[in-house]
Each structure stands twice: as C-alpha cells, then as structure tokens.
Amino acid sequence: MEKRTEPALSPLLLAMRGIVKTFGRSTAVDGIDLDVPERAFLTLLGPSGCGKTTVLRMIAGFETPDAGDMRLDNTPLADVPPERRPVNTVFQSYALFPHLTVNDNVAFSLKLRGGVVDIAARVRRALDAVHMADFGDRYPHQLSGGQQQRVAVARSIIAEPRLLLLDEPLSALDRKMRGHLQIELKALQRRLGIAFVYVTHDQEEAFALSDIVVVMNKGRIAQKADPQTIYSRPADSFVADFIGNSTLVEGRIRERHGDRATIATALGDVTAPAADGLAAGDAAMLVIRPELLSTRGEGVATFTGSVGNSVFQGERSMIEAEVAGVSLRFAAEAPLAAGTPVALWLDADRSFITRIAA
Amino acid sequence: MTFRQRHLALPVAAAIVAGCLAPLAVLVAFSFYEVEDFELVPAFSFRAWGELAFSSTDWFLIGKAVLSGVATTVFTAILGYPVALALTRLAASGKGLAVIVLLTPLYTGEIVRIYAWRIVLGGEGLVNTLLQGVGLIDEPLKFLLFSPFTIALVLTYNNLPFMVLAIWVSAEMVDRRLIEAARDLGARPIDAFFRVIFPLTTPGLAAGSLTVFALSAGEMLTPSLLGGTSGSTAMALVDNLFGTAFDWPLASALALALLATLFLVASAMAGLLLRLKGARAVVGRV
C-alpha cells in the first residue's frame, strides 16, 4: 500500500473519484470527486434531487456507484457491504426499531458483534452523550421527535465509526429544537473527533455546522469551500441563488483588472471582485447580498428607485427596491411603504461577480 | 373507532355469531341423543361421549389432525417467508401479476388438483418418469403417491398462498429504512431478518398460521384421495358416522371434540406469536 503524503493536520479519510450513479434514465450523481478529511464536519448542501442523499447512500453502502472509485482509509469500498463499513448513519426518519427499547436500539450494533463485554456501560455512555440516559427503558413511540433523534445519534456513535453520515437529521423538528440540536451535534462532533458528512437543504444549518460546505446541483458539485467563502464568493449563479437572499443581476464583463472586474448591467456599470477566469466579453452575474445595500451613505447614491414589496421578518424587514427593472433586495429596520422613493449605496468591494451556472 | 362505527359492525357480527353458535348448539344437543332403529331420539344420554372418551382411534385421528395442521403451518411458514419478502421488492406492476400467479392454483378447484397430483406423482407419473429418464433411479419412487409424504406435500402446496399473502401484507408494512438501519449497524442480511423483519412480521405470521392451521387440520379430500392407507382423518370419520353408520350422536361428539382441540391449539399458537415483542410493537402498543 502506498504511503500517504497528506498534511498531518488533515489526513484524508474518504476519497471519492469520478463517482457516477444513475437510476433508470435519470443521472442522480454525475461524476463527482469528493474528499473528506479526518475530523471534518462536511455538509452536502443542495435542493431536493441534487444527488446529495445518493452520495450519502453510496458512502453507507446502500447504493453501488455505476462508475468511479471510493476509498476509506485508502481501502477500496466497492465490495464492502454496509455492515462491514466503519461508517454509521443517522437516518432522516431516525429508523429506530419500534420493537426494541431505547437501550436495545442503542446496543444493537454491539450485540451483533459478539464478545463485547461492557455493553450496558457503553450504552449508558452513549445515551449520556445525547442527554437521554433516563430514557433507556422507553420504546421509540414513547419519545418526542427530538428525543428519537438523540437516540438515533446515540445508536450510530456507539460502535465508534470512522465516519458518521447524517441524512437531514433535523428536518422533521421544529425550529427551536433544530437550533438546540445543531449546537449539540457540533459539540458532539468536536468531542468525538469523528468526521461527519451531513446532508441538508437548509443553508443556515450548513453554515452553522460545517467546516466544509459542498454545494450540489444536478448531480454535480457546484462549489466546495468553507462557509464564508461559499457565502461571499459563490462559484456560480446557482450557488449565489441558493445561498441567502442575494439579488442576481445578469450582465457582461466590460473590463478585467486583477481580482476585480467591471460588469455592465441594467443597473449600470459596477466594479467588484470577480471569479477567476471571467474575462472581458463574458456573460456574468453580479451578486448583491442584502446587507451590502444601505439607505445611508456618502456622496452620490449607487442606485435610485422606489420601494416595491416589504416583508416584516421580526428583527429586520426585507425590502425590494425597483431599480431599472431589477428588484434589489435589502434589509431595513422597518417595512417601507410601497412607492416610496429610495436611494441605495452599494458596498461594491464586498459584492461579487460570478459565473452563470450551466 | 367511534361509537357509531362500532354499531355498523353489529349486524355482521350478530350473523357470524348466530351462524356459528346455532349449528354448534344443534351438535351439542345431538351428542346427547340416542339412536333407536335408525331413528334419532331426543334423550339425555352419555353413550356417545363415553364411547368417544375410550376410543383410541378417535383420539388418534384428532391428534393426527393437530399434527397435520401444525406441520403444514410450519412448512408453509418456512417456504412462505422467502416468497413474501421477495414480493415486497417487486415493482407495483409486478406485485399485481405476482398475486394472480400466487392465487391461480386456488381457482382450479380441489378435485382437479388432486387428480393432477396423481398424474404428477404416480408410479408412471411425471416425476418418476423424469427421474428414471435421467438415470437417477431404477425403480419408481413408491413414497411419492399415497403416503404421508404426499399429504404433507399437497397440503403445503395448497396452503402456501394463504401464508404468503399474510406474511407479505405484514412485510410490506415494515419500513425499508429499518432494514437499512440494521445493515448500517452491522447486521448481515440474515441478522436483519431475525432481529428486525421477523419480529415485525409476526402479526402476519400469526394470521397466516391461523388460516393455514384451520384449513389443513380440517382437510379431508386430500388425505382421502392422495394419502392411501395413511389417508384416514377425523373429518372422514365424522362424515362416515353422520352418513353410512348413522350414529349422529357419536358424530356430533367427535366433531365437537375435534373442534375444541383445534380451537385450543390455534389459540395457543396465536397467543404465542402475538406475545412476541415485535407483534406487540406492531399490533398494540407495548
């Protein structure tokens, strides 16, 4: 076996190369490369049908790739059935065994191994880790959704997997419970030092939890980066559109100078940081995040228009300004009356010019 | 179920109870009658019950009915599980076709099937000819027809569809993600079966077992026509006592004894299966 030469801080745990998976005529995963470093919290983010769950199921061993190579700890996974992969899954529906108590659910993998002597103690520790130690004798139907989710996590970490897969584990819970469990999951991941691969369609959840976010679109990886980079420098218009409330304005690159470019749009010319490879003459997309527009500023306003829709969202309001046929979304403290004239200053240095997604 | 919905079930329930209890009451009454000069005379005589109590033949035949029912139940369960589980993996269109295929033998009628078996299993039948043809045997296999083997084979064959259907319905309700979860947690397919699928399908197994047991324990035609010398049954004896022998009191007593025994065994079977954890998780909350 070849000696690995990855940097000591983040040795490679899982490597996927050129993975393809089709179901009948539809291609769910269209040739992706994905590396998961040790101890990483990596999130697959994308709309439903983008292939993220299929990727997860292939790592778990429930689906077999049509093409490509997948290695865990540099060992090929192709012929390893799910039960022999050092990988465990937290299912979207929790998939707790209804005929077994919480204790028996959590002990399931240890009992199958045989020869594990301290099962009771390890079950206790796993349940302690998710604050469910007092519920060992209950049956799944006697638990709330949040409690079931915790048991599902305890069940999946007790065998100390190399990699934990989580398939939208919080999607069935209410907002408040989701927030709680996000914090707990993140803390648990740090404490256990296990790599997590997390699937979600919720970008806030992805940003809150992840070291690495992988945005998927139509079976391909649109961007793989840390959350800040995904947010401030989306690799293409799909990522920009999927993340947050940005306004996307189509245009054409007029000039390129270093990291920056000038784009001609319906709003006029704007000079901003631009994605690598965009050159004069290319069609491109100007991405304006809501917080980059302000109704106060120095000198001449960047845009002037009138207020269209206002949506009250509690601590702030999301307002659409109609400027030259474009609806520019920006945040304000309170809703504004429709038709009010409005002047907006753009923090162009923090906006971004990106590619148009295929 | 609401109060009103319960009431909707009342007429049918009443009809079922009346249709079951009335003949039973008649049987009970007859079992105490006497027969004088080929005439049934109302009386309160224990003659028939006394005769039954000391008849080793009668009890042997009742025991045989129980054994036949239990064995058929076990055979159909063992054969039925793989079939039922395979059915759950078919596409919806395939399932429709599978049900038709599964039930087709039932449409042919028992007598037709029995004579077909004679053709298949006889000394010069399909199986023996084939085995001799390929040189596996020199003499026809005698045990194929008119033997306990024949009875077991045909009863299993006849009853398999009921067992498959019952287990299948139960297996369809088992969330596939539970099986994936089991595999994910280290269960080989066989572990997943015994630890997840089997416990969660025991209600179907119980329903199938009760059906198959009732149908096969009371079966008369198949043993009579295919069992040869081993084909005697309690049912055939009841038939004979009511008919040729004209001993309705004894026939009634034997029928009641058989019924009571089968009922006890069936209840025990159902109780055992439904006491399993999996059944309680599915049928009634634990």
Side-chain angles (χ1 to χ4, degrees):
Chain A
M1 200 182 284
E2 199 182 326
K3 199 172 163 27
R4 283 186 286 146
T5 53
E6 282 79 20
L9 274 176
S10 60
L12 193 60
L13 177 62
L14 176 79
M16 301 175 91
R17 292 285 174 276
I19 299 291
V20 175
K21 179 68 188 177
T22 56
F23 295 107
R25 261 180 246 155
S26 70
T27 303
V29 173
D30 193 3
I32 65 159
D33 298 337
L34 184 66
D35 287 343
V36 181
E38 294 259 26
R39 295 165 194 278
F41 199 125
L42 181 146
T43 297
L44 297 171
L45 174 67
S48 62
C50 73
K52 57 191 192 297
T53 295
T54 306
V55 171
L56 204 72
R57 291 175 58 78
M58 287 192 287
I59 300 173
F62 302 136
E63 308 286 355
T64 311
D66 298 329
D69 182 53
M70 191 156 50
R71 284 160 188 269
L72 189 81
D73 284 327
N74 215 14
T75 310
L77 282 177
D79 299 321
V80 184
E83 63 268 26
R84 298 218 332 265
R85 298 185 183 202
V87 171
N88 286 124
T89 306
V90 177
F91 291 84
Q92 184 171 17
S93 53
Y94 317 134
L96 296 178
F97 304 118
H99 58 299
L100 300 180
T101 61
V102 167
N103 278 335
D104 287 341
N105 263 282
V106 175
F108 194 86
S109 54
L110 297 185
K111 284 184 176 171
L112 279 168
R113 287 182 174 187
V116 185
V117 285
D118 53 347
I119 289 182
R122 284 176 69 177
V123 167
R124 177 88 197 174
R125 274 206 301 277
L127 285 174
D128 265 335
V130 295
H131 313 296
M132 286 294 290
D134 296 337
F135 294 84
D137 296 326
R138 303 267 187 101
Y139 281 87
H141 73 268
Q142 295 169 319
L143 304 176
S144 71
Q147 291 170 333
Q148 291 188 31
Q149 206 277 339
R150 287 159 196 254
V151 174
V153 170
R155 185 178 71 172
S156 64
I157 59 173
I158 194 168
E160 293 165 1
R162 299 280 287 128
L163 180 60
L164 190 69
L165 308 175
L166 302 101
D167 185 9
E168 310 218 13
L170 306 181
S171 61
L173 303 174
D174 63 63
R175 199 184 165 84
K176 199 170 173 187
M177 179 60 75
R178 222 161 46 223
H180 275 307
L181 285 173
Q182 280 174 9
I183 294 167
E184 283 187 24
L185 276 179
K186 183 72 189 171
L188 187 71
Q189 191 259 339
R190 289 217 181 98
R191 200 161 71 240
L192 296 173
I194 299 176
F196 278 27
V197 174
Y198 193 98
V199 160
T200 183
H201 60 264
D202 180 340
Q203 77 277 9
E204 283 179 34
E205 197 165 287
F207 287 168
L209 293 170
S210 319
D211 307 315
I212 307 163
V213 175
V214 177
V215 184
M216 290 189 63
N217 179 25
K218 295 177 192 159
R220 292 166 191 261
I221 291 176
Q223 187 170 15
K224 178 183 169 177
D226 62 281
Q228 285 83 5
T229 305
I230 299 260
Y231 189 65
S232 57
R233 300 177 69 92
D236 65 25
S237 57
F238 170 81
V239 179
D241 190 37
F242 191 72
I243 305 297
N245 275 315
S246 302
T247 304
L248 270 56
V249 191
E250 206 172 336
R252 197 163 285 281
I253 303 289
R254 192 185 288 286
E255 270 184 289
R256 172 94 204 195
H257 18 81
D259 285 351
R260 303 160 72 83
T262 302
I263 183 170
T265 72
L267 300 172
D269 285 8
V270 176
T271 301
D276 294 339
L278 282 175
D282 289 350
M285 198 72 90
L286 174 65
V287 182
I288 302 174
R289 303 197 306 276
E291 68 271 23
L292 302 183
L293 287 169
S294 169
T295 50
R296 265 161 265 158
E298 288 169 14
V300 183
T302 322
F303 312 118
T304 51
S306 61
V307 171
N309 293 320
S310 283
V311 179
F312 177 64
Q313 291 182 333
E315 68 242 59
R316 59 175 189 181
S317 293
M318 194 57 68
I319 296 170
E320 283 182 356
E322 302 300 332
V323 180
V326 177
S327 293
L328 281 177
R329 270 184 297 280
F330 69 99
E333 277 169 25
L336 298 173
T340 315
V342 66
L344 293 168
W345 281 262
L346 171 67
D347 185 351
D349 288 345
R350 289 168 62 209
S351 60
F352 191 62
I353 301 168
T354 194
R355 264 182 218 91
I356 293 176
Chain B
M1 210 185 266
T2 68
F3 186 69
R4 225 181 298 164
Q5 281 171 319
R6 256 205 307 276
H7 277 68
L8 286 176
L10 270 180
V12 179
I16 290 174
V17 171
C20 173
L21 289 184
L24 276 182
V26 170
L27 278 187
V28 172
F30 279 176
S31 71
F32 293 105
Y33 280 21
E34 280 177 1
V35 180
E36 281 170 19
D37 298 330
F38 294 99
E39 249 181 83
L40 207 54
V41 182
F44 192 70
S45 156
F46 285 94
R47 195 269 309 165
W49 287 104
E51 216 169 289
L52 172 71
F54 296 103
S55 162
S56 54
T57 314
D58 292 356
W59 289 108
F60 169 76
L61 289 179
I62 289 174
K64 199 174 157 190
V66 171
L67 181 69
S68 166
V70 171
T72 308
T73 304
V74 171
F75 293 152
T76 52
I78 291 171
L79 294 172
Y81 256 104
V83 180
L85 295 183
L87 284 173
T88 62
R89 294 179 190 190
L90 291 178
S93 55
K95 284 175 183 169
L97 187 69
V99 177
I100 296 171
V101 170
L102 197 61
L103 296 180
T104 302
L106 298 179
Y107 294 120
T108 52
E110 201 171 5
I111 293 292
V112 176
R113 259 178 294 149
I114 284 171
Y115 282 94
W117 278 113
R118 285 191 175 184
I119 294 169
V120 171
L121 299 175
E124 290 170 13
L126 217 59
V127 175
N128 275 320
T129 314
L130 201 72
L131 290 178
Q132 280 174 304
V134 297
L136 275 174
I137 51 169
D138 299 325
E139 295 287 303
L141 295 174
K142 284 276 193 298
F143 73 87
L144 287 183
L145 192 58
F146 303 130
S147 73
F149 166 82
T150 323
I151 302 175
L153 174 71
V154 176
L155 285 183
T156 302
Y157 174 86
N158 285 349
N159 287 290
L160 192 57
F162 301 109
M163 185 61 93
V164 170
L165 281 178
I167 298 174
W168 176 29
V169 169
S170 224
E172 283 285 350
M173 293 195 299
V174 175
D175 191 338
R176 202 152 304 177
R177 281 167 295 199
L178 293 179
I179 301 162
E180 286 184 350
R183 298 290 304 278
D184 189 70
L185 292 165
R188 294 165 299 161
I190 187 81
D191 300 319
F193 174 79
F194 281 112
R195 284 170 189 265
V196 178
I197 300 173
F198 180 77
L200 293 177
T201 51
T202 40
L205 178 64
S209 296
L210 289 184
T211 311
V212 170
F213 178 75
L215 290 173
S216 54
E219 174 68 73
M220 178 178 103
L221 276 181
T222 297
S224 298
L225 297 176
L226 290 172
T229 50
S230 56
S232 57
T233 56
M235 280 298 178
L237 182 57
V238 170
D239 180 43
N240 187 30
L241 287 170
F242 269 121
T244 331
F246 199 73
D247 190 346
W248 285 32
L250 185 54
S252 303
L254 178 57
L256 286 169
L258 179 65
L259 179 70
T261 309
L262 295 186
F263 181 77
L264 282 178
V265 175
S267 318
M269 239 164 49
L272 203 71
L273 284 170
L274 293 176
R275 198 179 298 267
L276 295 175
K277 262 200 266 177
R280 293 199 295 179
V282 180
V283 178
R285 287 312 192 179
V286 189

